[in-house]
Amino acid sequence: MNFLDKLKQFRDYEGQLKWEGTFADYLELVKKNPIIAQSAHSRVYQMIISAGVSEKDGHKHYHFFDGQIYGLDEAIERLVEEYFHPAARRLDVKKRILLLMGPVSGGKSTIVTMLKRGLEKYSWTDEGALYAIKDCPMHEDPLHLIPPHLREDFFEETGIRVEGNLSPLNAMRLEKEYGGQIEDVPIERIFLSEDKRVGIGTFSPSDPKSQDIADLTGSIDFSTIAEYGSESDPRAYRFDGELNKANRGIMEFQEMLKCDEKFLWHLLSLTQEGNFKAGRFALISADELIIAHTNETEYRTFISNKKNEALHSRMIVMPVPYNLKVSDEEKIYEKLISESDVANVHIAPHALRTAATFSILTRLKESKSRGIDLIKKMRLYDGEIVEGYNAADIKELQHEFPDEGMSGIDPRYVINRISSAIIKKGVPSINALDILRSIKEGLDQHPSITEEDRTHYTEYIALARREYDELAKSEVQKAFVYSFEESAKTLMDNYLDNVEAYCNSNKIFDPITGDEVDPDEKLMRSIEEQIGISENAKKSFREEILIRISAYARKGKRFNYKSHERLKEAIQKKLFADLKDVVKITTSSKTPDETQLKRVNEVIARLVDEYGYNSTSANELLRYVGSLLNR
Ligand SMILES: Nc1ncnc2c1ncn2[C@@H]1O[C@H](COP(=O)(O)OP(=O)(O)O)[C@@H](O)[C@H]1O
Ligand SMILES: [Mg+2]
């Protein structure tokens, strides 16, 4: 289908969704489908739920945020369970401003933008549909037309609670244009749109002197006063402030605590009573979710001021810390790069991971209680198995510092350094070392880093580099073997056959001669020595492995060489030790002979075909690993 057809199809679809009728017609719709009368808070919650929820390790994951937000599962779970869900059920939290508080570039704006864009789309669906009094500048809820004394009856009939008073403008129109006949008032379906200023509003602070409260609550239209005779005629008022326009949906308050106090007081009344004051009118009811964000410094200043106590108690503060998982940080970089103008540059494998390792290290706090080093803590947080630690340890570590993740390097900084490295290098390929170098250079220019942090950060760069060195070495060594996994498996099977025979005091069947022979002590020791297992400790190590195998068998899981962290290390090291000399000579020879050259080309081809390198980055990798092995 070509583009014009699609355009037409969309227009037809739009046409089909349009609906107009009288209030009497609308009541029929509501009775059939009460969901259309839900509150703004409830609609937002339903939208999040409708994208799917899954559960893992007792925690909920909300798919609504997939693809845009990574590593914030716990913050989001809290947000939904402590704000969106109770607010949807009309509990008291709904009357409070939701304030996202967290470090710069930690995803706060992204979360709010997703909610806004999501709600726009949701209003096009059957479940998210909503209706308003026709031509009302605030798209007022039609049910406000029901007079207060009849609302109890309405509740009994429909189960729907009506909150909020009819606005002065619609009250006047009802009298003047419809002679008080509620059932005749025209109603229409509305579609939320920030561009069209329907149900989505944004307010960002500007110069406090020039900023006008009218931006929030609308203003008198002086040109029409003559026509209507009085300033207090609602028809002479423009209900076009952000608070008016955001009615029925979401109002975003960017960097809220940078705003002038008088703006904040308006918000106080809005959230407290669900209404706000505009011009000379009675209070105007509003049905909107107010979501604000701020950074921690501003928040601390704000709450330290006694004058702000009343406001503070009207807020629900939700922390949005930095992500603390390396693999999620990598995904954030991938996302940011794919959206940038360097999206077509080749990024060598492990480069983003190395940058992510550095970032996460800057965000983690050294544990005092468990004597665990930062690298291990980082691995644990990322869901890796670290021998000697279990799920309970992770919980304990996470609770040790409640403000972990509130400081450190932000993802934007890293992306800027990556772009800068790309521009500087001027080639369409960049590797982990280029990025680390660029991050290091950038630290000197970073305005807000203390001398102390700079010292730590330099250490973290060194740590990240060491992690990369290990990855680089094992990648090259793997690429030297025709099929690494296969070789590892063969070696492990061989080892396990011998271990089993040893532990059961059995003989082993020699596949070549067919003879029964003693277990091959030399082979077993050559593997065990790789990870420093002494002659005295070998028996218990072997038994431990057999126990692990039987535990796997009981659970119906397959045991492979990765199922036991230390065994995996031993097998890899053994394979690499056998290879080391070959790799060393091949990668560092200045004048490679014909067989060496052939080998290098094979390895490069394998790195390109199977490991995601291009020829530039593969060559760089080989040269680097050669220098590492020759140290
Ligand atoms: N946890 C995260 N998951 C995905 N993207 C993130 C995350 N944290 C930050 N980002 C990205 O970093 C950039 C800055 O985030 P932003 O939402 O503007 O932060 P804030 O409003 O907290 O300053 C955005 O492009 C955002 O998508
Ligand atoms: Mg922001």
Side-chain angles (χ1 to χ4, degrees):
M1 190 170 29
N2 74 26
F3 177 69
L4 286 179
D5 289 339
K6 274 196 186 144
L7 210 63
K8 181 175 177 310
Q9 198 184 40
F10 183 73
R11 233 179 2 249
D12 291 348
Y13 173 68
E14 220 177 340
Q16 278 164 26
L17 289 188
K18 283 214 169 96
W19 183 93
E20 252 188 74
T22 62
F23 182 71
D25 300 329
Y26 176 67
L27 272 189
E28 289 309 308
L29 285 189
V30 171
K31 279 183 196 153
K32 264 193 261 153
N33 190 14
I35 194 85
I36 61 175
Q38 67 188 325
S39 69
H41 291 81
S42 170
R43 190 167 287 107
V44 170
Y45 175 68
Q46 290 304 334
M47 162 183 84
I48 294 172
I49 295 301
S50 71
V53 189
S54 53
E55 222 169 316
K56 204 182 153 214
D57 305 329
H59 282 290
K60 290 212 170 82
H61 173 85
Y62 293 91
H63 294 285
F64 179 79
F65 298 94
D66 284 359
Q68 286 292 323
I69 289 290
Y70 298 103
L72 293 185
D73 274 12
E74 271 149 55
I76 284 174
E77 185 180 26
R78 212 174 139 190
L79 199 57
V80 176
E81 288 184 359
E82 292 179 25
Y83 187 83
F84 293 129
H85 191 192
R89 300 171 62 195
R90 298 180 187 264
L91 297 175
D92 201 51
V93 289
K94 155 181 180 188
K95 296 185 179 165
R96 305 214 211 153
I97 298 169
L98 173 59
L99 178 63
L100 306 181
M101 190 268 289
V104 57
S105 287
K108 302 181 296 294
S109 300
T110 308
I111 292 177
V112 181
T113 305
M114 287 189 79
L115 292 171
K116 294 201 297 188
R117 296 293 89 80
L119 201 58
E120 289 174 346
K121 271 204 215 134
Y122 196 53
S123 71
W124 287 84
T125 65
D126 289 347
E127 311 78 56
L130 71 162
Y131 297 75
I133 296 175
K134 191 168 186 290
D135 297 328
C136 168
M138 288 182 59
H139 357 281
E140 186 163 16
D141 184 347
L143 297 183
H144 283 181
L145 288 162
I146 300 175
H149 67 274
L150 291 179
R151 289 183 181 181
E152 200 51 44
D153 293 341
F154 183 73
F155 174 68
E156 259 154 42
E157 207 180 314
T158 62
I160 296 170
R161 284 232 179 268
V162 182
E163 280 174 34
N165 303 320
L166 191 60
S167 70
L169 180 67
N170 284 321
M172 176 173 246
R173 282 173 62 194
L174 175 62
E175 283 319 309
K176 292 220 154 120
E177 292 170 38
Y178 304 101
Q181 298 275 341
I182 290 167
E183 53 277 37
D184 294 343
V185 175
I187 309 296
E188 63 183 346
R189 179 166 177 184
I190 57 169
F191 302 95
L192 302 189
S193 156
E194 179 153 24
D195 290 344
K196 296 185 179 150
R197 305 195 73 209
V198 181
I200 311 279
T202 304
F203 186 82
S204 46
S206 59
D207 177 11
K209 284 187 207 73
S210 61
Q211 194 145 44
D212 191 342
I213 199 79
D215 295 350
L216 271 185
T217 56
S219 58
I220 293 171
D221 183 352
F222 287 102
S223 66
T224 55
I225 295 178
E227 188 182 335
Y228 296 117
S230 150
E231 275 185 30
S232 48
D233 188 309
R235 288 167 302 179
Y237 194 87
R238 276 201 305 257
F239 293 89
D240 65 352
E242 290 301 318
L243 284 173
N244 307 113
K245 291 300 178 185
N247 190 31
R248 314 297 301 284
I250 293 180
M251 165 81 195
E252 175 187 12
F253 238 93
Q254 293 180 344
E255 305 295 341
M256 181 168 97
L257 301 182
K258 286 197 177 82
C259 284
D260 198 72
E261 265 172 45
K262 68 173 187 263
F263 288 89
L264 298 182
W265 287 105
H266 265 275
L267 279 184
L268 182 60
S269 132
L270 171 62
T271 52
Q272 202 156 21
E273 319 299 341
N275 53 34
F276 62 91
K277 186 87 182 125
R280 303 188 171 186
F281 312 112
L283 293 168
I284 295 174
S285 303
D287 167 31
E288 58 200 80
L289 190 152
I290 301 189
I291 179 163
H293 38 100
T294 185
N295 66 44
E296 203 181 6
T297 326
E298 265 151 17
Y299 176 70
R300 299 271 164 240
T301 320
F302 174 78
I303 53 169
S304 65
N305 186 345
K306 269 258 176 278
K307 256 174 42 194
N308 293 326
E309 242 166 40
L311 255 175
H312 187 218
S313 70
R314 308 309 311 169
M315 294 171 181
I316 292 256
V317 181
M318 288 283 160
V320 180
Y322 286 137
N323 154 54
L324 295 177
K325 295 190 177 126
V326 175
S327 41
D328 282 321
E329 190 71 9
E330 239 185 303
K331 289 186 197 139
I332 297 176
Y333 300 161
E334 276 161 16
K335 179 190 79 168
L336 289 173
I337 288 173
S338 75
E339 291 164 355
S340 78
D341 51 1
V342 294
N344 53 354
V345 168
H346 169 75
I347 297 183
H350 313 303
L352 295 184
R353 185 174 189 85
T354 304
T357 300
F358 164 74
S359 301
I360 302 298
L361 288 173
T362 67
R363 298 172 191 169
L364 294 182
K365 294 201 185 327
E366 200 114 23
S367 169
K368 292 194 183 68
S369 61
R370 294 300 319 261
I372 181 174
D373 67 37
L374 270 193
I375 291 279
K376 280 199 183 130
K377 183 171 175 179
M378 177 186 89
R379 296 224 169 96
L380 271 181
Y381 275 18
D382 202 19
E384 283 183 46
I385 295 162
V386 177
E387 212 87 2
Y389 297 92
N390 58 28
D393 296 320
I394 300 181
K395 270 233 164 69
E396 198 187 311
L397 286 169
Q398 282 167 335
H399 287 136
E400 190 177 349
F401 302 103
D403 62 339
E404 192 169 47
M406 283 296 179
S407 60
I409 285 287
D410 64 280
R412 258 210 191 115
Y413 171 77
V414 173
I415 292 301
N416 290 343
R417 295 317 301 168
I418 294 177
S419 315
S420 146
I422 287 171
I423 292 164
K424 201 162 166 191
K425 206 176 170 196
V427 295
S429 165
I430 187 160
N431 64 37
L433 298 172
D434 298 324
I435 296 179
L436 283 185
R437 206 174 301 121
S438 178
I439 287 178
K440 192 163 184 174
E441 282 165 15
L443 289 183
D444 297 329
Q445 305 152 16
H446 202 296
S448 61
I449 295 182
T450 62
E451 225 15 76
E452 195 191 342
D453 280 346
R454 207 187 313 276
T455 315
H456 283 306
Y457 290 2
T458 313
E459 276 168 36
Y460 299 148
I461 290 176
L463 278 181
R465 160 120 185 232
R466 219 170 305 151
E467 291 288 294
Y468 172 68
D469 289 353
E470 290 310 309
L471 281 172
K473 270 192 274 182
S474 78
E475 189 116 290
V476 168
Q477 285 167 316
K478 277 185 193 175
F480 262 83
V481 187
Y482 170 66
S483 168
F484 184 84
E485 296 295 314
E486 202 116 301
S487 310
K489 187 176 178 307
T490 311
L491 184 59
M492 183 196 73
D493 286 345
N494 203 350
Y495 175 73
L496 292 180
D497 286 344
N498 282 287
V499 163
E500 203 172 10
Y502 168 87
C503 291
N504 298 330
S505 310
N506 278 344
K507 298 261 180 201
I508 185 160
F509 184 70
D510 187 318
I512 297 165
T513 60
D515 294 341
E516 290 210 325
V517 291
D518 284 330
D520 185 347
E521 195 57 34
K522 207 166 144 226
L523 173 88
M524 287 186 285
R525 290 303 292 147
S526 73
I527 290 171
E528 290 155 1
E529 277 161 3
Q530 299 293 335
I531 50 168
I533 296 200
S534 68
E535 190 62 31
N536 287 336
K538 72 178 187 192
K539 184 156 185 278
S540 66
F541 180 75
R542 291 171 189 176
E543 282 165 358
E544 180 196 318
I545 290 195
L546 285 191
I547 290 171
R548 178 73 61 93
I549 293 176
S550 74
Y552 264 65
R554 223 179 31 244
K555 288 183 198 148
K557 286 204 285 185
R558 269 186 84 89
F559 185 91
N560 64 33
Y561 85 100
K562 289 178 182 160
S563 310
H564 189 287
E565 189 63 25
R566 300 195 61 212
L567 179 61
K568 171 180 142 191
E569 194 188 332
I571 297 273
Q572 279 184 346
K573 281 196 167 153
K574 168 74 177 130
L575 281 174
F576 292 166
D578 296 348
L579 269 173
K580 188 167 173 182
D581 290 334
V582 181
V583 177
K584 199 162 138 180
I585 294 165
T586 317
T587 53
S588 59
S589 166
K590 293 235 158 50
T591 48
D593 62 29
E594 204 172 314
T595 41
Q596 283 171 342
L597 207 58
K598 186 161 167 271
R599 191 106 200 224
V600 166
N601 288 335
E602 267 171 26
V603 169
I604 286 183
R606 210 168 286 139
L607 285 170
V608 171
D609 294 344
E610 294 170 27
Y611 294 83
Y613 290 81
N614 70 5
S615 67
T616 312
S617 62
N619 273 294
E620 286 169 349
L621 176 75
L622 276 193
R623 238 177 297 134
Y624 181 61
V625 169
S627 77
L628 284 179
L629 293 177
N630 276 302
R631 268 185 198 163

